Amino acid sequence: MRLIDAQKILQDYFGYADFRSGQKALLSLISEGKNTLGIMPTGGGKSLCYQIPGILLDGTAIIISPLISLMKDQVDSLHTLGVKATYINSSLTSEEYNERMRLLSEGYYDLVYVAPERFDSPFFLTTINKLQISFIVFDEAHCISQWGHDFRPSYRSIIDTINQLTQIPFRLALTATATQEVIEDIQRLLSIDDQSVVNTGFYRDNLHFHVVKGQNKQDFLINYISQHRQESGIIYAPTRKLVESIHAKLIKEGFRAAYYHAGLAEDVRRNEQNRFINDQVEIMVATNAFGMGIDKSNVRYVIHYSLPMNIEAYYQEAGRAGRDGEVSNCILLFSGQDSHLQSFLIEQSELDEEMKSLEYKKLRAMINYCHTDKCLPCYILDYFGEKNPYHDCGHCTNCTDQSEKVDRTRDAQMVLSCVMRMEQRFGATLTAKVLKGSKDKKIKQFELDQLSTYGLMKERTEKQITEFIHFLIAEGYLSTGSDRFPILKLTQKAADVLKNKEQVWMRQTEIQQVAETDFDPELFERFRELRKQIATEEKIPPYVVFSDATLKDLCRYLPKNKEEMLMIKGIGLKKYDSYGKAFLDTIKVHTNN
Ligand code: ADP
Ligand code: MG
Ligand code: ZN
């Protein structure tokens, strides 16, 4: 295999002009037939590194992947490019299975996807033993290591089986997450030498991280999604109840949204998931039960409505945005009280004391993420002990926040002294009522209207005051303990504020539009419709037809003919033949108007 041929396939089939640097390094190792390991982030373009050699090299490439749900997508995509590929797994009918095994034994396929379990089948093994195999791919290779976070013994045991084949093909291992231990383990198990490891780390510069605090979450959410109506996004909430109430709220406000949690019947869950994947709705509201094995590539934002359990979980969930490499937002809405639910879950868990204290430590790192002034992805990389290729990302809340901070020391003193006068016995709601000067009957009952702080902030709304109290909690001026009914207590920092030894500064977080829109959104919407229509006819997900990036480029460059169309990122010859005309026609109609 020559790199120049790989380059041609990249252009003709996939419609891309250049390899990314990690891809080039991997492909040159593969072209030498070396056992190779590639560690590249999600969305980094690992698939091309075996798809192109699969097409070019003689024989059939076998791709082993533990994620059965992703195989169909991959194969559908390859079919739209005119590649001979298939998958063999337990979801097939026996007719389908027999047909595919027959074609496999005839050497028809360039690529075959299988689950690890397939290697338990003697029939499969005798078939591939007679076959010319170009090479074997271990996708999600961290699963073969017992040090990995998702160890699968059945996956690891394949290695012995493969070593008993009459002709042992070379192997390519790929993963997006591997610690040094896991890397060494994979190398040892698959006989990969140090020169054959390509590690681009897992930093993803298309993800823009944001933390939003001190704002009303629901207002922020509605406002954000109103400004991003044409984009797909996931909203993660910590409980089923909250998922349902956010979902209901969004529907009431006229948004198209699906929802998902473990309490729903399986067919409901599947249906909701499909509506999201097929772009029938833009928004998915879900608990963390949603997302495993979802490969929807055009998710433009992931919003966490509350604090995730730890950084590991957060990075995984947030990482479902931007798999197509386009700029995407990962937004965490934080309020000081969020940590109570997570503490509660740790407390209630079956873990032993040592494990519990480890979980608390991880939770604290998560909370610190919400408070740090550091560049957010840098914080995450540090947490994972990864070397950081950039000093500052330049996109996250902390890198971009130029909004002026306002001095809220006076307001803070009012709240804090009110908490003190209320003898640190009440929660945020009642404290806000006192400051507002409310006539609530509880106030009468506890004679709180006698306090000197009663009505001190009467020109503000109760909601504003409550939000400000939550800001003071988030910033550590007030603590709330871990009771079911959080009671406000003053901290050392509060004492300093009351003594005028410390000032309180606050800033409003505003998330900029994801890049400037330099194309006509109306045309983009028409393309989306067309894409959805084609996808429905062909029974494939819309992003398999064309990615968001391709649609945007079409809007920007408005190609008029085949040559111009082939210059667009993601349009190769086969895709042009299948879809080119429909899109050219749409452009014609649009430009004539
Ligand atoms: P991974 O498996 O590493 O998560 P994928 O192989 O699914 O990533 O690729 C992610 C996205 O990047 C896909 O939409 C793919 O088409 C695109 N892509 C891959 N290589 C290139 C390239 N050289 N130029 C432009 N886009 C690319
Ligand atoms: Mg992949
Ligand atoms: Zn940053």
Side-chain angles (χ1 to χ4, degrees):
M1 185 182 90
R2 297 177 310 165
L3 276 181
I4 186 159
D5 297 325
Q7 185 86 40
K8 188 160 161 45
I9 299 280
L10 180 71
Q11 179 64 63
D12 289 353
Y13 281 63
F14 295 89
Y16 299 134
D18 301 296
F19 283 116
R20 296 173 180 155
S21 65
Q23 290 177 323
K24 216 178 239 168
L26 273 179
L27 284 166
S28 80
L29 288 162
I30 294 165
S31 67
E32 295 170 38
K34 291 229 171 91
N35 291 341
T36 304
L37 167 60
I39 303 127
M40 279 194 216
T42 305
K46 291 186 287 299
S47 327
L48 283 190
C49 299
Y50 59 80
Q51 290 170 342
I52 291 181
I55 295 168
L56 281 172
L57 294 173
D58 287 340
T60 304
I62 296 184
I63 298 104
I64 311 165
S65 167
L67 299 177
I68 293 185
S69 54
L70 303 189
M71 289 181 190
K72 188 172 179 308
D73 250 29
Q74 291 263 349
V75 170
D76 283 343
S77 290
L78 287 168
H79 286 166
T80 67
L81 304 174
V83 178
K84 290 177 189 145
T86 196
Y87 62 91
I88 297 176
N89 65 28
S90 52
S91 73
L92 302 182
T93 64
S94 59
E95 288 81 36
E96 286 170 329
Y97 172 76
N98 291 333
E99 173 69 359
R100 292 181 193 193
M101 284 303 287
R102 187 178 65 74
L103 288 169
L104 175 66
S105 68
E106 289 170 5
Y108 171 80
Y109 296 115
D110 279 335
L111 301 117
V112 174
Y113 289 78
V114 297
E117 292 70 40
R118 196 49 40 193
F119 285 81
D120 298 336
S121 149
F123 180 49
F124 179 73
L125 288 177
T126 39
T127 307
I128 63 167
N129 209 13
K130 286 186 237 153
L131 190 69
Q132 185 185 0
I133 301 173
S134 51
F135 62 109
I136 296 193
V137 180
F138 289 77
D139 205 5
E140 313 293 339
H142 57 277
C143 299
I144 66 173
S145 168
Q146 58 186 336
W147 309 113
H149 55 82
D150 196 9
F151 176 45
R152 307 198 182 192
S154 71
Y155 197 179
R156 185 188 191 124
S157 66
I158 294 175
I159 299 164
D160 285 334
T161 315
I162 287 173
N163 286 335
Q164 283 157 24
L165 294 174
T166 329
Q167 297 220 328
I168 304 172
F170 76 92
R171 356 43 228 275
L172 166 64
L174 295 168
T175 176
T177 60
T179 59
Q180 196 50 40
E181 261 172 337
V182 174
I183 292 174
E184 283 164 19
D185 208 20
I186 296 174
Q187 280 186 263
R188 200 170 43 75
L189 290 165
L190 298 177
S191 316
I192 299 167
D193 60 36
D194 291 345
Q195 284 75 47
S196 306
V197 178
V198 175
N199 188 350
T200 64
F202 61 66
Y203 180 66
R204 298 173 57 190
D205 61 2
N206 65 316
L207 298 186
H208 294 186
F209 286 89
H210 301 277
V211 173
V212 176
K213 35 185 175 175
Q215 288 187 39
N216 181 286
K217 291 182 177 188
Q218 190 169 297
D219 292 351
F220 176 90
L221 183 70
I222 302 278
N223 188 22
Y224 183 87
I225 59 181
S226 318
Q227 286 172 10
H228 295 80
R229 274 185 187 272
Q230 294 180 325
E231 298 177 353
S232 277
I234 303 173
I235 298 160
Y236 278 112
T239 63
R240 297 171 185 186
K241 216 172 126 195
L242 197 53
V243 163
E244 293 189 1
S245 76
I246 295 172
H247 177 252
K249 173 79 183 168
L250 298 190
I251 298 296
K252 198 170 138 232
E253 299 276 332
F255 295 99
R256 301 195 299 184
Y259 74 125
Y260 189 106
H261 60 65
L264 299 173
E266 201 189 321
D267 55 329
V268 177
R269 271 194 319 227
R270 195 173 328 114
N271 185 43
E272 292 293 294
Q273 178 170 317
N274 285 339
R275 293 201 307 140
F276 179 61
I277 287 176
N278 297 327
D279 283 351
Q280 287 164 314
V281 299
E282 277 71 35
I283 302 166
M284 169 57 89
V285 189
T287 60
N288 61 7
F290 176 78
M292 266 310 242
I294 303 288
D295 213 6
K296 185 173 167 63
S297 68
N298 62 338
V299 175
R300 291 277 70 85
Y301 60 85
V302 171
I303 297 178
H304 279 74
Y305 203 76
S306 181
L307 192 73
M309 187 168 50
N310 51 44
I311 304 267
E312 284 88 343
Y314 182 58
Y315 197 66
Q316 186 174 49
E317 286 157 19
R320 298 200 168 114
R323 281 166 164 275
D324 52 10
E326 290 284 287
V327 168
S328 309
N329 279 328
C330 304
I331 304 168
L332 200 164
L333 309 184
F334 177 70
S335 91
Q337 294 171 316
D338 291 352
S339 58
H340 295 156
L341 176 67
Q342 297 299 348
S343 304
F344 175 78
L345 292 175
I346 296 172
E347 211 38 63
Q348 296 293 304
S349 69
E350 310 267 280
L351 299 171
D352 63 32
E353 283 312 308
E354 199 181 327
M355 286 304 285
K356 272 188 190 169
S357 82
L358 183 66
E359 288 302 318
Y360 275 120
K361 201 172 142 209
K362 289 182 167 184
L363 176 59
R364 272 196 299 278
M366 186 72 241
I367 297 169
N368 290 342
Y369 172 82
C370 304
H371 290 303
T372 184
D373 268 341
K374 246 169 99 162
C375 166
L376 294 172
C378 297
Y379 179 94
I380 295 175
L381 290 174
D382 274 354
Y383 177 83
F384 288 115
E386 276 248 338
K387 263 225 221 47
N388 179 4
Y390 305 87
H391 185 57
D392 280 328
C393 77
H395 317 297
C396 72
T397 313
N398 293 339
C399 283
T400 54
D401 209 320
Q402 277 133 16
S403 64
E404 263 184 52
K405 289 188 175 183
V406 255
D407 184 352
R408 300 286 302 267
T409 312
R410 279 275 307 141
D411 295 327
Q413 286 169 335
M414 292 185 201
V415 172
L416 298 175
S417 62
C418 188
V419 171
M420 191 166 69
R421 301 250 141 75
M422 291 167 77
E423 297 174 334
Q424 309 187 58
R425 286 168 48 214
F426 300 96
T429 316
L430 201 59
T431 308
K433 284 191 195 302
V434 172
L435 285 159
K436 174 71 193 171
S438 147
K439 301 243 177 320
D440 193 286
K441 64 174 186 296
K442 268 210 182 131
I443 301 235
K444 280 258 170 314
Q445 185 188 335
F446 293 108
E447 298 186 346
L448 296 170
D449 50 356
Q450 303 304 310
L451 300 177
S452 59
T453 52
Y454 180 75
L456 202 55
M457 299 176 89
K458 58 176 174 299
E459 70 286 0
R460 304 276 165 85
T461 67
E462 232 173 87
K463 197 167 131 194
Q464 285 170 334
I465 302 171
T466 312
E467 266 170 38
F468 184 60
I469 293 175
H470 287 305
F471 164 77
L472 293 174
I473 297 169
E475 294 296 307
Y477 295 103
L478 289 168
S479 70
T480 51
S482 49
D483 283 10
R484 209 166 133 226
F485 302 105
I487 288 168
L488 299 178
K489 306 260 186 220
L490 300 171
T491 64
Q492 183 56 47
K493 267 174 100 177
D496 292 342
V497 172
L498 286 168
K499 283 186 231 145
N500 270 324
K501 284 205 284 191
E502 186 175 323
Q503 291 180 319
V504 179
W505 294 87
M506 185 178 176
R507 59 185 176 195
Q508 289 289 104
T509 316
E510 266 186 53
I511 300 197
Q512 299 147 322
Q513 195 79 4
V514 174
E516 289 276 301
T517 346
D518 55 352
F519 54 82
D520 180 352
E522 223 171 272
L523 183 58
F524 183 65
E525 190 54 38
R526 261 193 235 174
F527 285 155
R528 266 174 31 108
E529 274 307 314
L530 179 58
R531 173 173 74 171
K532 191 156 62 178
Q533 208 178 311
I534 294 170
T536 311
E537 273 164 32
E538 302 197 355
K539 297 201 173 58
I540 51 179
Y543 55 83
V544 167
V545 176
F546 280 142
S547 69
D548 279 13
T550 301
L551 296 192
K552 283 177 193 167
D553 265 6
L554 284 171
C555 292
R556 287 187 189 107
Y557 301 116
L558 302 173
K560 288 188 290 294
N561 51 41
K562 181 171 172 180
E563 279 79 63
E564 291 181 12
M565 197 95 174
L566 288 174
M567 312 268 281
I568 301 288
K569 183 158 82 175
I571 305 186
L573 290 168
K574 177 72 185 6
K575 284 213 171 163
Y576 174 78
D577 283 345
S578 313
Y579 315 127
K581 188 168 178 314
F583 281 86
L584 281 178
D585 288 348
T586 307
I587 292 172
K588 234 174 250 155
V589 173
H590 177 81
T591 40
N592 287 344
N593 285 342

